[in-house]
Amino acid sequence: GAGVSQTPSNKVTEKGKYVELRCDPISGHTALYWYRQSLGQGPEFLIYFQGTGAADDSGLPNDRFFAVRPEGSVSTLKIQRTERGDSAVYLCASSLTGGNEKLFFGSGTQLSVL
Amino acid sequence: AQSVTQLGSHVSVSEGALVLLRCNYSSSVPPYLFWYVQYPNQGLQLLLKYTSAATLVKGINGFEAEFKKSETSFHLTKPSAHMSDAAEYFCAVSPYGGATNKLIFGTGTLLAVQP
């Protein structure tokens, strides 16, 4: 596609529910990142994929958060037993390969946990 | 630990005036530094990056930033503000040099441009 696509753009859920957030990176980009942006804050790193494998998941806050990228393209961020504190904009970004090449961000998914 | 501090969460300038957005960094290794811009309802876009080459870095839309090691600063400037520059600006540092795009972002500065 022309850019990084994230769906849904908005997700409202109830405390305790399970949610999945999807990211379609730019075609051919091997590196994929998830960030989380809370209100009034800058983006915070969650996880980095190189191909199908998670190269760095040190930013995942706890074991309720999990992400996959089974075929090296689309990625899904999964959050179990959601809490109100999980409410934030979840950003996905991709770059052609690893390293500090230009990072392309999607518009994000606004997650609201009621 | 690496970090960035952006001074001023809100900055307002008049159209045609100088834009100066401040960023100070803390890094135990030679830093890679970035400025990103976020327009309303759009994803973050890279404005410019410093990767230990020239200390004065030119970016898109007439923005530039100067790396000053002695001041641990990487301030963003533009000589003449345009209405279309109104957006939120984020400074970021890479704790791994050029190894990955795992970035540590500042809290952002919202730039308003008055007519």
Side-chain angles (χ1 to χ4, degrees), chain A residues 33 35 37 40-45 48 56 58-59 91 95 97-108, chain B residues 32 34 36 38 41-46 49 51 88 90 96-108:
Chain A
Y33 297 77
Y35 284 81
Q37 187 173 12
Q41 301 296 316
E44 176 188 24
F45 170 80
Y48 156 51
D56 184 343
S58 61
L91 300 171
S95 63
T97 65
N100 71 330
E101 301 159 345
K102 186 174 179 180
L103 200 53
F104 294 83
F105 280 85
S107 299
Chain B
Y32 279 45
F34 306 78
Y36 279 83
Q38 189 170 33
N41 301 315
Q42 294 187 28
L44 287 156
Q45 296 178 34
L46 179 66
K49 66 179 181 182
T51 58
E88 189 155 25
F90 293 92
Y96 297 113
T100 77
N101 266 312
K102 177 181 179 179
L103 303 178
I104 297 170
F105 285 85
T107 53

Side-chain angles (χ1 to χ4, degrees), chain B residues 31-68:
Chain B
Y32 279 45
L33 293 160
F34 306 78
W35 275 99
Y36 279 83
V37 60
Q38 189 170 33
Y39 298 104
N41 301 315
Q42 294 187 28
L44 287 156
Q45 296 178 34
L46 179 66
L47 268 180
L48 50 82
K49 66 179 181 182
Y50 167 76
T51 58
S52 75
T55 57
L56 182 63
V57 183
K58 294 187 183 298
I60 61 172
N61 301 338
F63 283 93
E64 63 182 34
E66 186 172 8
F67 173 72
K68 292 187 177 180

Side-chain angles (χ1 to χ4, degrees), chain A residues 5-60:
Chain A
S5 175
Q6 292 188 247
T7 53
S9 56
N10 282 281
K11 176 69 176 178
V12 180
T13 191
E14 295 178 346
K15 180 176 178 294
K17 298 291 188 182
Y18 167 83
V19 297
E20 290 189 351
L21 311 179
R22 176 187 170 106
C23 173
D24 278 273
I26 293 173
S27 179
H29 280 196
T30 63
L32 185 147
Y33 297 77
W34 284 98
Y35 284 81
R36 176 171 71 174
Q37 187 173 12
S38 301
L39 195 62
Q41 301 296 316
E44 176 188 24
F45 170 80
L46 295 177
I47 186 170
Y48 156 51
F49 286 91
Q50 183 58 253
T52 60
D56 184 343
D57 65 357
S58 61
L60 295 176

Side-chain angles (χ1 to χ4, degrees), chain B:
Chain B
Q2 282 74 19
S3 65
V4 290
T5 301
Q6 292 185 242
L7 299 176
S9 58
H10 290 78
V11 170
S12 182
V13 300
S14 298
E15 191 173 19
L18 171 72
V19 176
L20 171 61
L21 305 182
R22 300 178 185 273
C23 173
N24 287 87
Y25 70 90
S26 171
S27 179
S28 56
V29 299
Y32 279 45
L33 293 160
F34 306 78
W35 275 99
Y36 279 83
V37 60
Q38 189 170 33
Y39 298 104
N41 301 315
Q42 294 187 28
L44 287 156
Q45 296 178 34
L46 179 66
L47 268 180
L48 50 82
K49 66 179 181 182
Y50 167 76
T51 58
S52 75
T55 57
L56 182 63
V57 183
K58 294 187 183 298
I60 61 172
N61 301 338
F63 283 93
E64 63 182 34
E66 186 172 8
F67 173 72
K68 292 187 177 180
K69 185 177 179 180
S70 61
E71 299 177 7
T72 61
S73 69
F74 190 59
H75 302 332
L76 182 71
T77 60
K78 181 174 181 177
S80 177
H82 192 272
M83 297 295 289
S84 61
D85 295 326
E88 189 155 25
Y89 293 79
F90 293 92
C91 182
V93 63
S94 170
Y96 297 113
T100 77
N101 266 312
K102 177 181 179 179
L103 303 178
I104 297 170
F105 285 85
T107 53
T109 297
L110 189 61
L111 175 67
V113 182
Q114 308 298 329

